[in-house]
Amino acid sequence: MPHDVHNPRSLHAHSDDVIIVGGGLAGLFCALRVSPRPVTVVTAAPIGEGSSSAWAQGGIAAAVTQEDTPEAHARDTVAAGAGLVDEQVALAMAREAPARVAELLAYGVPFDKDLAGHLLVSREAAHSARRIVRVKGDTAGRAIMAALVAAVRKTPSIRVLEGLWAEDLASAGGVVSGIRARALDANRRTTITGRAVVLATGGVGHLYAVTTNPQEAQGQGLALAARAGAMLADTEFVQFHPTAIAIGWDPAPLATEALRGDGAILVNRAGERFMRRLHAEAELAPRDVVARGVFAEIAAGRGAFLDARQAIGSAFAERFPTVHATCMAAGIDPARDLVPVAPAAHYHMGGIAVDTRGRTSLAGLWAAGEVASTGAHGANRLASNSLLEAVVFAARIAEDIGGLPPRAGARQDLVEIGAPVLPPPADETELRQLMTAHVGVIRTDAGLAHALREIGRIERESASPALRNMAVAALVIAAAAWRRRESRGGHYRSDHPAADAAQGQRTFLTLDQARALARQATEGRHAPFAAA
Ligand SMILES: Cc1cc2nc3c(=O)[nH]c(=O)nc-3n(C[C@H](O)[C@H](O)[C@H](O)COP(=O)(O)OP(=O)(O)OC[C@H]3O[C@@H](n4cnc5c(N)ncnc54)[C@H](O)[C@@H]3O)c2cc1C
């Protein structure tokens, strides 16, 4: 049986050949590609739940038609990344995309096809061709994960430990030899050692008070690697979705951009259509411009609302059933009422620096998916490239690990993990509000310095390992944001609103360097911009 049921009291140190932390798309795809070699997947939430992968609505970008080419896909990726995309990485990723989509089909993902059996593709913003492979409208993530979960459950060489929360890497002298994890229901720790550890823990959205990401996306993997001394890259770059529905839900539901495409406008409490004074295309300006406009109205106390009354009106329920149902559940009828919106943390372009094989700077440690920084996204992600990056790099990691001699007789008896639940939230509210207010859509020197001081205090004072890890992840984002004194892609500094060619490089930093930057920021000293 690939999926084990065990007794928490028997929790003890155990080992395997390959350990993958995270059961989203990157983790499961890697596990399937590693098989038949034995692999253990450690995941906080049950596989298929608690992952951004299952929530993806758009699909996967891949040049799979006659009218499209990987070169065009790579060009669009480079253009979106505002000067920081590694062009070789983007091109190789685009070239591998059709093969990875074919493998997903082989695992049983029901991508939409025409009557002749060819993949159907649709278009998304900033793509020069129709190249998004989807499943029945907006259900790609759910369908992809359902197929992979079924494939994993059928693969005897994959054991899945659900309800285990990785808290530390076991490492010494720059070599990673395993993980330390907590069984969420029994609140006990265990160590799992292995020849190869792959972090696939997803993004950082939950570090922010308003986010589209699941609670599990709290930068734990980023913090684990940082604390073990790994090199990180581009951590300042976070993408914000401009119009999450602000009804106090956590995570925040999305008001799809298609609403604005269909004529819905953005107004403040006084009824002013504020995007008109900010951009010639008003509500249809690029995502980051709209996110800043919405953020500024809220920060000024004027509020921001989506007004679909005229443009969509009584057709709302039929044309946007998901958004309609969400609003109605919150007592808002979007056909007649204004819908309150706010920008939400959505995607982390930065992460653990990895090379083209997915190797981190630490021996024995690989990283895949949103937790990694491959150089494919630069300062801003092109829509639907993140699921693609997850499968491309997960496959490369599996191949790289496949070249290692297996660890004979490594697997030991399993432990009971029990029903998974996240630990009771330590008081993370202050940290999340700090991140939204000062390390979010609009950043300043003073705000970032304040955030760095407070993040340091929260890390020192907290008794919760999970909250301390969140603070470490917050620190590496805020420190890099403080150091980059320009605006580019997802990073906007109102005190340095223009891009600066001299800073047009990727940035790399370790946790020690981030702590040094935090000290300089809080002492009011200025660090020169340095890419590495
Ligand atoms: C609402 C929404 C819509 C999106 N739409 C699209 C789209 O259409 N196309 C696209 O390309 N991208 C989209 N994205 C982005 C994309 O979904 C993610 O970037 C991608 O799924 C990340 O995959 P992952 O495997 O790296 O992480 P995830 O799928 O988030 O999986 C992370 C896993 O790690 C586990 N985990 C986390 N911390 C720990 C820990 N400490 N110990 C143990 N386990 C842990 C979690 O339980 C989970 O299993 C969307 C994101 C969101 C939130």
Side-chain angles (χ1 to χ4, degrees):
M1 284 268 293
H3 178 58
D4 296 279
V5 180
H6 323 279
N7 172 3
R9 288 187 190 85
S10 69
L11 199 59
H12 57 77
H14 55 291
S15 65
D16 203 349
D17 187 28
V18 180
I19 303 160
I20 297 174
V21 187
L25 180 58
L28 296 193
F29 199 76
C30 189
L32 286 164
R33 293 293 303 257
V34 164
S35 71
R37 192 173 172 145
V39 53
T40 296
V41 176
V42 170
T43 171
I47 52 175
E49 295 172 32
S51 74
S52 292
S53 300
W55 295 5
Q57 295 174 349
I60 298 196
V64 290
T65 63
Q66 299 277 327
E67 296 76 43
D68 196 10
T69 63
E71 288 69 25
H73 182 180
R75 271 198 302 279
D76 295 344
T77 303
V78 169
L84 300 196
V85 170
D86 182 323
E87 298 190 12
Q88 298 299 324
V89 168
L91 184 58
M93 181 173 88
R95 286 186 172 148
E96 287 166 45
R100 298 292 87 82
V101 168
E103 282 159 16
L104 288 170
L105 281 165
Y107 285 127
V109 178
F111 287 123
D112 294 341
K113 292 185 180 164
D114 64 17
L115 290 177
H118 302 124
L119 284 168
L120 280 174
V121 282
S122 56
R123 189 145 185 180
E124 270 183 355
H127 283 277
S128 60
R130 299 172 73 85
R131 67 166 73 96
I132 315 304
V133 184
R134 292 175 178 260
V135 182
K136 290 194 194 74
D138 60 3
T139 66
R142 210 172 341 130
I144 292 169
M145 289 305 290
L148 293 200
V149 167
V152 163
R153 301 269 191 227
K154 280 194 295 215
T155 307
S157 59
I158 304 176
R159 70 174 173 181
V160 181
L161 302 181
E162 293 163 318
L164 260 193
W165 186 251
E167 272 180 2
D168 274 313
L169 291 176
S171 70
V175 180
V176 173
S177 56
I179 63 162
R180 278 185 283 274
R182 188 177 294 271
L184 297 177
D185 60 341
N187 201 26
R188 293 180 60 188
R189 298 233 301 171
T190 185
T191 302
I192 308 176
T193 56
R195 176 183 296 273
V197 175
V198 182
L199 288 175
T201 48
V204 300
H206 188 76
L207 293 179
Y208 290 84
V210 186
T211 180
T212 61
N213 291 189
Q215 188 190 348
E216 287 77 5
Q218 44 182 259
Q220 296 281 331
L222 183 64
L224 263 54
R227 287 176 38 229
M231 184 60 76
L232 314 175
D234 300 338
T235 46
E236 64 271 44
F237 294 109
V238 178
Q239 189 176 73
F240 294 85
H241 192 286
T243 53
I245 307 175
I247 44 179
W249 292 9
D250 185 19
L254 285 184
T256 161
E257 274 157 312
L259 281 159
R260 279 176 281 129
D262 277 12
I265 57 172
L266 286 164
V267 295
N268 59 23
R269 206 169 279 114
E272 184 205 356
R273 201 173 156 189
F274 55 86
M275 282 310 301
R276 272 192 171 153
R277 68 176 136 83
L278 301 175
H279 197 278
E281 292 187 51
E283 288 81 7
L284 299 178
R287 239 185 201 193
D288 54 322
V289 178
V290 180
R292 287 198 291 277
V294 170
F295 181 86
E297 289 308 294
I298 295 170
R302 293 188 288 269
F305 304 85
L306 197 66
D307 184 352
R309 294 175 298 185
Q310 274 221 310
I312 302 167
S314 57
F316 204 111
E318 193 193 315
R319 277 161 63 192
F320 298 97
T322 312
V323 181
H324 184 261
T326 304
C327 290
M328 294 303 278
I332 298 164
D333 178 354
R336 301 153 179 241
D337 304 327
L338 297 178
V339 180
V341 290
H346 191 52
Y347 183 78
H348 194 203
M349 276 73 76
I352 307 165
V354 294
D355 68 10
T356 51
R357 292 170 293 192
R359 293 183 182 184
T360 71
S361 63
L362 302 178
L365 185 69
W366 286 253
E370 195 168 332
V371 73
S373 177
T374 64
H377 304 301
N380 223 344
R381 170 191 68 132
L382 182 67
S384 290
N385 263 354
S386 31
L387 293 177
L388 173 62
E389 186 201 42
V391 287
V392 164
F393 278 82
R396 290 186 187 184
I397 290 171
E399 195 179 324
D400 197 31
I401 289 174
L404 299 173
R407 202 164 110 157
R411 178 168 287 183
Q412 293 180 4
D413 274 352
L414 284 186
V415 292
E416 169 81 21
I417 303 305
V421 276
L422 276 186
D427 197 8
E428 57 187 24
T429 314
E430 185 187 4
L431 180 68
R432 297 181 71 197
Q433 285 174 349
L434 205 57
M435 291 296 284
T436 288
H438 300 296
V439 196
V441 179
I442 298 180
R443 302 162 171 182
T444 63
D445 188 279
L448 289 163
H450 170 74
L452 282 163
R453 188 177 309 113
E454 296 303 307
I455 291 167
R457 178 184 57 73
I458 292 169
E459 188 194 350
R460 279 192 307 279
E461 289 178 358
S462 175
S464 151
L467 183 57
R468 285 202 302 270
N469 276 338
M470 286 175 73
V472 165
L475 171 75
V476 298
I477 296 171
W482 179 76
R483 182 170 62 177
R484 189 177 281 281
R485 288 192 184 79
E486 64 153 359
S487 293
R488 183 183 295 274
H491 170 71
Y492 183 81
R493 290 275 303 251
S494 59
D495 46 356
H496 300 279
D500 169 14
Q503 298 181 51
Q505 304 150 58
R506 299 184 65 201
T507 42
F508 296 89
L509 97 175
T510 61
L511 179 56
D512 283 348
Q513 289 166 335
R515 291 200 196 285
L517 287 169
R519 276 193 299 277
Q520 291 171 29
T522 51
E523 288 163 9
R525 290 188 280 140
H526 271 202
F529 176 81

